[in-house]
Amino acid sequence: MRPWRWSLYRAQYVPRALNPRVPLRFVTPTAFHQVFRSSWSRHASTLHKLGNLEKRISEIPIERFRNFCIVAHVDHGKSTLSDRLLEITGTIEPGGKKQVLDKLDVERERGITVKAQTCSMIYNYRGEDYLLHLVDTPGHVDFRAEVSRSYASCGGAILLVDASQGIQAETVSKFYLAFAEGLEVLPIINKVDLPSADVPRTIEQIKTTFELNTENTVLVSAKTGQNVQAVLPAVIEQIPAPIGDQQKPLRLLLIDSWYSTYKGVILLVRMFDGQIRAGDQVTSFATGLKYHVGEVGVMYPDQTPQKLLRAGQLGYIYFNPGMKRSQEAK
């Protein structure tokens, strides 16, 4: 093949996004190699970040784990507060897309949370890394089952109340679900920047309705970011670490599941005892069926593979061959 023909042959593999106004015949092999090197550099950088993440997580003992959820009425700012916490911990870039933990189209369109979602964060507090697992739970009574499973995976809850609306029906129902699970409840008042905000009245409502100690109540505005940096230190100091032993036999709780065309059913789990890694064989206590683990990982905020999950962690699992029916996930 002649050199000039070879150049044109290589040029057709160059993305048109390189410069849409330039015809393909003017894209040289040199430009092709520049694009290839740039793509490989980005890929290598991603692998390096994932390796650092896995190393940092492996060095954190269970005593520095915190599993917590956000309890609130619909539209009191759960997803917005979640976004701010993810930005503070460096899990996502500031100013990026909103409602990161809302994966469904209806959640983004309506501004509500329908399915429980989790995200792992690493936060350095007083010179030590803490592994924080945030569970963003639905706020409507129709999703009670989702909420109950989410609470069972946590050690504490943020009670989020709108300063302009005060305590509402779903706030009460979700609080008593969390109270029944024995969760440590941390009151936080949101939207304090609104002209209609009445913080003293809201604090009094929390104190009289739930009989909570309101002295350490955190006042924030998740939308503007006001005082949001005080939330995670309060979580670390007031919410207990999970209890578990990675030397014991495997024991985990299924929080949620969803179907992937390529991977089959993916399980969102909370590890109570033991550890699990790719290649392990597990047996479902509910169905008796056996599966081979294909991949394990954490939500950071999307699926991020890890070598293993251990006691105290929240993460995802899928099998190889994949679980074909969602009915088996129970």
Side-chain angles (χ1 to χ4, degrees), residues 267-284:
L267 310 180
L268 188 64
V269 301
R270 152 69 153 97
M271 299 286 295
F272 279 93
D273 288 315
Q275 57 184 16
I276 188 170
R277 66 181 72 221
D280 288 350
Q281 180 177 324
V282 297
T283 303
S284 170

Side-chain angles (χ1 to χ4, degrees), residues 41-52:
S41 298
R42 288 194 298 268
H43 179 65
S45 176
T46 301
L47 292 178
H48 181 68
K49 291 180 180 178
L50 293 180
N52 287 340

Side-chain angles (χ1 to χ4, degrees), residues 81 119 142 216:
L81 179 60
C119 185
D142 292 342
N216 297 322

